Amino acid sequence: MPEILDQLASARLVPVVVLDDAAHARPLAGALVEGGLPVAEVTFRTAAAVESIREMAADGRVLVGAGTVLTPAQVDEAVDAGAQYVVSPGFSREVVDRCAERGVLALPGAVTATEVQAAFAAGITTVKFFPAETSGGAAAIKALSAPFGDVRFVPTGGIGATNLAEYLSLPSVAAVGGSWMVPRGAIAEGRFDDVAAMVADAVALTR
Ligand code: 3PG
């Protein structure tokens, strides 16, 4: 599990993906690879999520995780389909415990000191800081890092090309999540060359 975190941290970005059709999963994997960012958080917001994770995991080129995971049953579905990490918008002890039982990295959301402390007590040292922009942004992460020196953050929500640098400059930020480089519409329309170009632009901003 620490190695998955290391891979996310070295990628610097976690594309948050909404797939309406599992047939788009493999072409999207190709676009992510072409753009230089072979990582995807496939959200449980559509009926196509589980099959999309299965397709991407079978493709084998992308570090695939599940996002918007709200229940232990969804942890099982995600892991059975091949998800290598599990992201939640908030902190749920049940979800975190099921991830531990299944041997996958849990990345629960936490934005207040109380939430971060609860996650830390459950053995979590990297949290998703979501929704980042409306929860105080980079300044809030900086403030939380003072008492929680061992915690790392994956800010997500409202981040794009214009504010990415504020987050990536913080030592406590492991990686930044976002959907701006994988727009749902472009995927649904099958514009995978455009997606690859947007992914490449996003990667260039991390350098
Ligand atoms: C998520 O689930 O992580 C967010 O919906 C992604 O936020 P963004 O669309 O603002 O990047």
Side-chain angles (χ1 to χ4, degrees), residues 19-37:
L19 280 158
D20 293 292
D21 183 347
H24 292 144
R26 286 193 191 233
L28 176 63
L32 290 165
V33 170
E34 197 185 318
L37 184 60

Side-chain angles (χ1 to χ4, degrees), residues 111-121 124-125 127 140-153 172:
V111 289
T112 65
T114 300
E115 291 163 3
V116 173
Q117 194 168 329
F120 191 74
I124 299 293
T125 53
V127 296
I141 295 174
K142 209 169 164 187
L144 286 166
S145 297
F148 299 110
D150 293 331
V151 174
R152 299 178 83 201
F153 298 86
S172 60

Side-chain angles (χ1 to χ4, degrees), residues 16 41 43 45 67-68 87 89 128 130 156-160 177-180:
V16 177
E41 176 190 327
T43 57
R45 294 182 201 175
T68 324
V87 187
K128 172 171 177 162
F130 173 82
T156 309
I159 304 176
S179 63
W180 81 93

Side-chain angles (χ1 to χ4, degrees), residues 80-101:
D80 290 345
Q84 294 168 280
Y85 57 96
V86 167
V87 187
S88 301
F91 172 71
S92 150
R93 181 77 208 216
E94 291 74 21
V95 167
V96 166
D97 286 350
R98 185 61 62 88
C99 287
E101 283 162 24

